């Protein structure tokens, strides 16, 4: 639908349409309104999940793809526009509002059954993931202290502050190698991947921070260890939830946090499944290129995720801001946007049926790349 539109027109259009993320953030409030109007509290508790994983994948395909790239002479100008930075920073108060509103609805709604309570927590959790995890990912790559700390705060708001350290200093160094807990090997199911990703990423974050402090002549348990501070912020969120909303509020906060960081790892699974960097004769791995991440150009999900799905370019050039990330025709392409791929990943037989042929086709002539033995040993 958008293939014939000039890139400059598409860029101007997307400049406004990136606001879509904040309309998505309104889904819990929209669900609450429908609960009051229709009295069907338990059904509409699941409404945000239905929209994101039921309606959006369909709309994604109806609207189609966007492969527009900024011209070279536009990149610097676009990267410097404060509007794009403002949008990501606005995610911080929006995330706090979602957490507070979601907890308030849970503890004040007597009509919820257990199914309704679970649906509400998961619904708020997926919205929280879009705000904290997705936007936080954009911000932790920024050199500006305000943006970088805002990213840390977003991750701390869902009890996954270690990602701020591990992602930049760990994942971007070892991506698509056996050393990376966030890179799923060929044939690995999501449910085999998740526990290893949780443990590996948390553990590696502390190792990386201890290593940084050691270079400064400081012990790991030092006040300059940023993980101590960010995890203290997470504890502060949990205590606030308990004091303001009671035990139900604490359960809500922990449930939303679990949904958020689990979504992060599911997206990691999707982004790098089966893609390996070749090992060079000198024992090192080849440089990360757009070939080592799955790419998706479906417009609607890219607007709602600040171009996160242009992940191939992000890994090739990690410091690029989301508004200037590029599409590469030669990078591995997902069959749909992240919303649809998320659902697919939850059903391993369907995932393997859809994705394994794509991985094999990508490595045609180099089938040895699909060997999982070295990967298995490193993550066992």
């Amino acid at each position: 639908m958008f293939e014939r539109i000039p890139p400059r027109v598409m860029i101007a259009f997307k400049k406004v349409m990136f606001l879509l993320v904040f309309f998505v953030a309104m889904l819990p409030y929209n669900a609450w309104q429908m609960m009051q109007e229709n009295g069907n509290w338990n059904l509409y508790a699941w409404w945000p999940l239905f929209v994101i994983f039921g309606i959006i994948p369909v709309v994604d395909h109806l609207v189609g793809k966007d492969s527009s790239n900024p011209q070279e002479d536009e990149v610097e100008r676009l990267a410097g526009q404060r509007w794009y930075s403002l949008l990501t920073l606005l995610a911080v108060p929006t995330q706090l509002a979602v957490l507070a509103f979601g907890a308030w609805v849970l503890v004040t709604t007597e009509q919820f059954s257990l199914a309704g309570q679970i649906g509400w927590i998961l619904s708020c959790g997926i919205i929280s993931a879009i705000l904290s995890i997705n936007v936080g990912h954009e911000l932790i790559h920024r050199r500006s202290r305000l943006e970088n700390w805002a990213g840390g705060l977003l991750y701390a708001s869902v009890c996954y502050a270690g990602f701020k350290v591990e992602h930049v200093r760990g994942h971007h160094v070892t991506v698509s190698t056996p050393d990376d807990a966030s890179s799923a090997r060929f044939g690995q199911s999501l449910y085999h991947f998740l526990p290893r990703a949780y443990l590996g990423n948390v553990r590696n974050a502390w190792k990386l921070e201890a290593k940084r402090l050691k270079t400064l002549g400081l012990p790991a348990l030092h006040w300059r260890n940023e993980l101590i501070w960010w995890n203290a912020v997470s504890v502060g969120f949990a205590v606030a939830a308990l004091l303001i909303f009671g035990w139900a509020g604490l359960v809500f906060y922990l449930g939303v946090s679990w949904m958020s960081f689990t979504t992060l790892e599911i997206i990691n699974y999707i982004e790098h499944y089966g893609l390996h960097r070749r090992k060079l004769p000198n024992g090192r791995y080849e440089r990360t290129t757009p070939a080592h991440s799955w790419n998706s150009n479906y417009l609607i999900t890219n607007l709602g995720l600040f171009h996160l799905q242009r992940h191939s370019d992000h890994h090739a050039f990690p410091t690029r801001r989301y508004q200037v990330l590029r599409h590469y025709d030669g990078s591995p392409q997902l069959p749909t946007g992240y919303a649809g791929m998320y659902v697919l990943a939850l059903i391993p037989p369907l995932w393997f049926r859809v994705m394994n042929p794509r991985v094999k086709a990508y490595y045609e002539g180099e089938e040895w790349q699909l060997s999982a033995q070295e990967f298995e040993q490193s993550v066992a």
Side-chain angles (χ1 to χ4, degrees):
M1 182 183 298
F2 297 96
E3 297 299 321
R4 297 182 180 180
I5 298 178
R8 289 190 178 184
V9 175
M10 278 303 300
I11 289 169
F13 170 71
K14 289 191 289 185
K15 183 175 184 178
V16 176
M17 291 306 296
F18 279 125
L19 286 166
L20 179 63
V21 68
F22 299 104
F23 287 95
V24 173
M26 291 293 291
L27 283 173
Y29 179 73
N30 177 236
W32 179 70
Q33 285 182 313
M34 290 190 292
M35 291 174 193
Q36 293 180 307
E37 293 172 2
N38 300 310
N40 208 331
W41 295 79
N42 294 308
L43 178 63
Y44 283 107
W46 297 82
W47 174 247
L49 287 172
F50 176 71
V51 171
I52 291 171
F53 297 122
I55 296 176
I56 287 181
V58 175
V59 175
D60 231 8
H61 280 269
L62 292 176
V63 172
K65 299 180 181 179
D66 155 47
S67 59
S68 61
N69 288 330
Q71 300 297 321
E72 287 298 331
D73 59 350
E74 293 181 298
V75 171
E76 187 174 352
R77 177 182 62 83
L78 282 171
Q81 289 186 0
R82 294 184 179 181
W83 165 255
Y84 295 101
S85 299
L86 176 63
L87 290 182
T88 53
L89 289 172
L90 283 175
V92 176
T94 306
Q95 163 71 351
L96 299 181
V98 168
L99 291 176
F101 175 73
W104 175 79
V105 170
L106 182 75
V107 301
T108 59
T109 302
E110 298 179 356
Q111 296 92 330
F112 277 151
S113 66
L114 178 59
Q117 291 173 329
I118 293 173
W120 184 249
I121 290 173
L122 295 180
S123 288
C124 292
I126 195 62
I127 301 303
S128 172
I130 292 170
L131 293 169
S132 63
I133 300 300
N134 173 57
V135 183
H137 170 262
E138 170 67 23
L139 290 170
I140 62 174
H141 281 283
R142 307 283 70 87
R143 294 179 180 177
S144 157
R145 180 171 293 184
L146 173 62
E147 291 176 292
N148 193 268
W149 284 16
L153 180 60
L154 285 171
Y155 281 110
S157 75
V158 292
C159 302
Y160 218 54
F163 187 80
K164 180 179 183 296
V165 170
E166 204 289 326
H167 179 76
V168 176
R169 292 187 243 155
H171 176 62
H172 271 271
V173 176
T174 61
V175 64
S176 296
T177 74
D179 299 321
D180 183 37
S182 291
S183 296
R185 71 184 189 277
F186 181 75
Q188 185 179 28
S189 76
L190 174 66
Y191 303 104
H192 185 261
F193 169 83
L194 279 176
R196 294 162 185 261
Y198 294 144
L199 178 62
N201 286 326
V202 171
R203 182 172 55 193
N204 198 40
W206 284 93
K207 286 182 178 179
L208 288 167
E209 187 63 358
K211 182 179 178 180
R212 182 185 72 85
L213 291 169
K214 187 177 180 180
T215 63
L216 300 175
L218 301 173
L221 296 179
H222 190 272
W223 68 267
R224 291 180 67 178
N225 184 325
E226 69 170 298
L227 291 178
I228 293 177
W229 288 102
W230 290 124
N231 282 288
V233 172
S234 296
V235 172
F237 273 106
V239 171
L242 176 62
L243 293 178
I244 297 172
F245 300 107
W247 288 105
L250 178 60
V251 170
F252 171 84
Y253 174 67
L254 295 177
V256 164
S257 294
W258 174 83
M259 181 63 171
S260 297
F261 62 69
T262 296
T263 293
L264 180 155
E265 298 300 355
I266 292 174
I267 297 303
N268 275 334
Y269 177 83
I270 293 167
E271 288 170 340
H272 304 288
Y273 174 76
L275 300 178
H276 300 173
R277 283 157 61 192
R278 296 166 180 81
K279 205 165 192 177
L280 303 174
N282 62 7
R284 296 186 177 185
Y285 290 97
E286 64 180 325
R287 179 182 178 274
T288 306
T289 72
H292 301 119
S293 305
W294 290 97
N295 193 73
S296 178
N297 268 326
Y298 284 90
L299 178 63
I300 295 302
T301 37
N302 256 326
L303 290 173
L305 296 173
F306 289 133
H307 271 167
L308 179 66
Q309 296 176 156
R310 291 192 168 186
H311 208 63
S312 299
D313 195 28
H314 168 70
H315 265 282
F317 303 97
T319 60
R320 277 187 181 166
R321 290 184 177 267
Y322 69 93
Q323 64 268 30
V324 293
L325 287 175
R326 298 172 179 272
H327 158 72
Y328 291 95
D329 290 325
S331 62
Q333 300 295 314
L334 292 172
T336 187
Y338 281 3
M341 296 306 299
Y342 189 112
V343 177
L344 199 65
L346 297 176
I347 311 170
L350 288 180
W351 172 268
F352 294 142
R353 185 171 182 176
V354 172
M355 290 301 296
N356 282 5
R358 284 173 166 78
V359 178
K360 289 179 180 179
Y362 195 74
Y363 286 113
E364 186 176 0
E366 292 184 287
E367 284 75 12
W368 60 269
Q369 288 278 353
L370 303 178
S371 173
Q373 292 181 1
E374 184 180 7
F375 226 86
E376 178 70 37
Q377 292 170 1
S378 68
V379 296

PDB file of all heavy atoms in Angstrom, residues 78-87:
ATOM      1  N   LEU A  78      17.223  14.409  10.798  1.00  0.00           N
ATOM      2  CA  LEU A  78      16.194  13.641  11.492  1.00  0.00           C
ATOM      3  C   LEU A  78      16.675  13.179  12.865  1.00  0.00           C
ATOM      4  O   LEU A  78      15.934  13.234  13.848  1.00  0.00           O
ATOM      5  CB  LEU A  78      15.792  12.425  10.656  1.00  0.00           C
ATOM      6  CG  LEU A  78      14.865  12.660   9.474  1.00  0.00           C
ATOM      7  CD1 LEU A  78      14.753  11.400   8.633  1.00  0.00           C
ATOM      8  CD2 LEU A  78      13.489  13.105   9.961  1.00  0.00           C
ATOM      9  N   ALA A  79      17.922  12.726  12.925  1.00  0.00           N
ATOM     10  CA  ALA A  79      18.456  12.218  14.189  1.00  0.00           C
ATOM     11  C   ALA A  79      18.528  13.305  15.249  1.00  0.00           C
ATOM     12  O   ALA A  79      18.476  13.013  16.458  1.00  0.00           O
ATOM     13  CB  ALA A  79      19.841  11.613  13.964  1.00  0.00           C
ATOM     14  N   GLY A  80      18.635  14.551  14.832  1.00  0.00           N
ATOM     15  CA  GLY A  80      18.757  15.647  15.793  1.00  0.00           C
ATOM     16  C   GLY A  80      17.448  16.299  16.200  1.00  0.00           C
ATOM     17  O   GLY A  80      17.446  17.211  17.043  1.00  0.00           O
ATOM     18  N   GLN A  81      16.334  15.874  15.642  1.00  0.00           N
ATOM     19  CA  GLN A  81      15.053  16.512  15.958  1.00  0.00           C
ATOM     20  C   GLN A  81      14.561  16.075  17.339  1.00  0.00           C
ATOM     21  O   GLN A  81      14.425  14.882  17.616  1.00  0.00           O
ATOM     22  CB  GLN A  81      14.020  16.178  14.882  1.00  0.00           C
ATOM     23  CG  GLN A  81      14.301  16.866  13.563  1.00  0.00           C
ATOM     24  CD  GLN A  81      13.192  16.659  12.547  1.00  0.00           C
ATOM     25  OE1 GLN A  81      12.201  15.994  12.803  1.00  0.00           O
ATOM     26  NE2 GLN A  81      13.367  17.241  11.359  1.00  0.00           N
ATOM     27  N   ARG A  82      14.274  17.043  18.183  1.00  0.00           N
ATOM     28  CA  ARG A  82      13.900  16.750  19.568  1.00  0.00           C
ATOM     29  C   ARG A  82      12.530  16.098  19.700  1.00  0.00           C
ATOM     30  O   ARG A  82      12.232  15.470  20.716  1.00  0.00           O
ATOM     31  CB  ARG A  82      13.954  18.045  20.387  1.00  0.00           C
ATOM     32  CG  ARG A  82      15.362  18.606  20.537  1.00  0.00           C
ATOM     33  CD  ARG A  82      15.384  19.824  21.433  1.00  0.00           C
ATOM     34  NE  ARG A  82      16.735  20.343  21.596  1.00  0.00           N
ATOM     35  CZ  ARG A  82      17.055  21.394  22.342  1.00  0.00           C
ATOM     36  NH1 ARG A  82      16.088  22.056  22.993  1.00  0.00           N
ATOM     37  NH2 ARG A  82      18.296  21.793  22.442  1.00  0.00           N
ATOM     38  N   TRP A  83      11.693  16.257  18.696  1.00  0.00           N
ATOM     39  CA  TRP A  83      10.362  15.662  18.740  1.00  0.00           C
ATOM     40  C   TRP A  83      10.433  14.152  19.004  1.00  0.00           C
ATOM     41  O   TRP A  83       9.696  13.612  19.824  1.00  0.00           O
ATOM     42  CB  TRP A  83       9.643  15.926  17.424  1.00  0.00           C
ATOM     43  CG  TRP A  83       8.418  15.080  17.186  1.00  0.00           C
ATOM     44  CD1 TRP A  83       8.308  14.027  16.334  1.00  0.00           C
ATOM     45  CD2 TRP A  83       7.140  15.227  17.818  1.00  0.00           C
ATOM     46  NE1 TRP A  83       7.051  13.492  16.374  1.00  0.00           N
ATOM     47  CE2 TRP A  83       6.304  14.208  17.280  1.00  0.00           C
ATOM     48  CE3 TRP A  83       6.618  16.097  18.775  1.00  0.00           C
ATOM     49  CZ2 TRP A  83       4.988  14.053  17.676  1.00  0.00           C
ATOM     50  CZ3 TRP A  83       5.290  15.941  19.157  1.00  0.00           C
ATOM     51  CH2 TRP A  83       4.495  14.929  18.614  1.00  0.00           C
ATOM     52  N   TYR A  84      11.360  13.491  18.316  1.00  0.00           N
ATOM     53  CA  TYR A  84      11.477  12.043  18.444  1.00  0.00           C
ATOM     54  C   TYR A  84      11.965  11.652  19.849  1.00  0.00           C
ATOM     55  O   TYR A  84      11.516  10.654  20.407  1.00  0.00           O
ATOM     56  CB  TYR A  84      12.423  11.503  17.377  1.00  0.00           C
ATOM     57  CG  TYR A  84      11.913  11.693  15.973  1.00  0.00           C
ATOM     58  CD1 TYR A  84      12.385  12.729  15.166  1.00  0.00           C
ATOM     59  CD2 TYR A  84      10.950  10.833  15.434  1.00  0.00           C
ATOM     60  CE1 TYR A  84      11.922  12.908  13.875  1.00  0.00           C
ATOM     61  CE2 TYR A  84      10.479  11.009  14.145  1.00  0.00           C
ATOM     62  CZ  TYR A  84      10.960  12.050  13.369  1.00  0.00           C
ATOM     63  OH  TYR A  84      10.487  12.230  12.086  1.00  0.00           O
ATOM     64  N   SER A  85      12.877  12.449  20.397  1.00  0.00           N
ATOM     65  CA  SER A  85      13.342  12.182  21.759  1.00  0.00           C
ATOM     66  C   SER A  85      12.231  12.424  22.772  1.00  0.00           C
ATOM     67  O   SER A  85      12.079  11.674  23.742  1.00  0.00           O
ATOM     68  CB  SER A  85      14.543  13.077  22.091  1.00  0.00           C
ATOM     69  OG  SER A  85      15.615  12.825  21.216  1.00  0.00           O
ATOM     70  N   LEU A  86      11.457  13.472  22.545  1.00  0.00           N
ATOM     71  CA  LEU A  86      10.354  13.786  23.451  1.00  0.00           C
ATOM     72  C   LEU A  86       9.361  12.638  23.525  1.00  0.00           C
ATOM     73  O   LEU A  86       8.871  12.284  24.610  1.00  0.00           O
ATOM     74  CB  LEU A  86       9.644  15.058  22.991  1.00  0.00           C
ATOM     75  CG  LEU A  86       8.400  15.462  23.794  1.00  0.00           C
ATOM     76  CD1 LEU A  86       8.779  15.774  25.239  1.00  0.00           C
ATOM     77  CD2 LEU A  86       7.717  16.670  23.146  1.00  0.00           C
ATOM     78  N   LEU A  87       9.066  12.019  22.388  1.00  0.00           N
ATOM     79  CA  LEU A  87       8.113  10.911  22.378  1.00  0.00           C
ATOM     80  C   LEU A  87       8.585   9.774  23.274  1.00  0.00           C
ATOM     81  O   LEU A  87       7.793   9.196  24.026  1.00  0.00           O
ATOM     82  CB  LEU A  87       7.911  10.399  20.954  1.00  0.00           C
ATOM     83  CG  LEU A  87       7.160  11.310  19.982  1.00  0.00           C
ATOM     84  CD1 LEU A  87       7.011  10.623  18.628  1.00  0.00           C
ATOM     85  CD2 LEU A  87       5.796  11.704  20.531  1.00  0.00           C
TER      86      LEU A  87
END
